[in-house]
Amino acid sequence: MTARLTRTLSRWSPTPDRLGGALLEILREGQRRGFLGPGPVEHTFDHALGFAGAADAPGRAVDLGSGAGVPGLVLALAWPESLWSLVDASARRCAFLGEAIVALGLDARVDVVEARAEVVGRDPGHRGGYDLVVARGFGPPAAVAECAAPLLRLGGAVVVSDPPGGDASRWPAAGLAVLGLEPDGMVRAGAAYQRLRQVELCGERYPRRSGVPAKRPLFRST
Ligand SMILES: C[S@@+](CC[C@H](N)C(=O)[O-])C[C@H]1O[C@@H](n2cnc3c(N)ncnc32)[C@H](O)[C@@H]1O
């Protein structure tokens, strides 16, 4: 168990070691099932927790392409007042996430949404309803931005992990402006986390049909 994990959980759980152990075991199981990349899950936990250093605690947040629950599950534990939607198109990953939230006692404030993000962005129950969108390994910048923007309220934020080192030129202001987004700085804390801000509500034409944001990106990253 990492000291950081215990510290994070002890802010709200009377049994941080037990809860932290359960979380790490869930991530290991996710890895065994192929829902999470290789490497020590403690590092994955640290990387996920890094998102919290790049955003204010949200009321309502969404994790796009949550996979085995990264970073959504970690952030739901770190921000005990927050409500979450973990969105993933894969039925197997969503079944796994459903079991994970029950095991962690998060089922009262975390929902699993089995759907394409492009479909969720057109659902009135989700559109414009979030303070924060997070994404890790979801797709290229233009696809992340086009799937995230429709979900955000005015003033809401996106935090997305960037490849090691980070490169702000992957997030061009002119391309983001089409979606009502603007770059809001990059946080470097071990890893790199790009921040975007929803400065105008996203236009009705976005997101485009499933698959189109990745196939015909609104902007190219240099
Ligand atoms: C590379 S994995 C990353 C998973 C997790 N965020 C992580 O960091 O380990 C990408 C995930 O996004 C999901 N995904 C990809 N495109 C999607 C879309 N358009 N809508 C919903 N889920 C999507 C996949 O099913 C997969 O679980």
Side-chain angles (χ1 to χ4, degrees):
M1 174 89 54
T2 67
R4 197 171 180 209
L5 176 55
T6 305
R7 255 199 327 276
T8 303
L9 300 180
S10 63
R11 273 188 267 141
W12 74 285
S13 168
T15 55
D17 288 337
R18 190 199 63 75
L19 193 60
L23 174 61
L24 293 180
E25 197 38 55
I26 284 165
L27 296 180
R28 279 188 203 103
E29 180 57 25
Q31 216 170 31
R32 276 192 285 274
R33 297 193 197 185
F35 303 159
L36 188 64
V41 293
E42 289 82 358
H43 292 180
T44 306
F45 169 84
D46 281 344
H47 186 256
L49 196 55
F51 281 75
D56 296 329
R60 198 170 172 222
V62 55
D63 182 10
L64 287 185
S66 193
V70 182
L73 283 180
V74 175
L75 295 173
L77 290 171
W79 285 320
E81 309 295 324
S82 56
L83 304 177
W84 282 83
S85 298
L86 308 181
V87 173
D88 205 288
S90 154
R92 287 176 62 229
R93 286 166 177 78
C94 286
F96 174 81
L97 287 170
E99 289 169 25
I101 60 173
V102 171
L104 294 170
L106 290 173
D107 44 320
R109 58 185 184 88
V110 179
D111 280 331
V112 178
V113 181
E114 183 190 325
R116 297 274 312 187
E118 296 91 328
V119 174
V120 180
R122 293 215 162 270
D123 179 335
H126 294 278
R127 192 175 178 97
Y130 292 92
D131 306 303
L132 175 68
V133 178
V134 294
R136 179 185 187 265
F138 177 74
V144 173
E146 184 170 345
C147 289
L151 295 167
L152 285 172
R153 65 163 173 81
L154 195 60
V158 182
V159 178
V160 52
S161 53
D162 241 22
D167 179 359
S169 70
R170 285 168 31 90
W171 303 92
L176 293 168
V178 173
L179 297 161
L181 286 167
E182 70 179 25
D184 191 23
M186 184 170 286
V187 174
R188 289 187 170 82
Y193 304 88
Q194 175 67 48
R195 300 192 320 180
L196 310 174
R197 183 71 57 187
Q198 195 73 39
V199 291
E200 279 173 36
L201 278 181
C202 181
E204 283 300 320
R205 30 181 325 224
Y206 303 111
R208 291 168 294 167
R209 284 193 326 278
S210 288
V212 177
K215 257 186 248 144
R216 298 211 319 267
L218 286 175
F219 57 86
R220 300 273 171 196
S221 299
T222 52

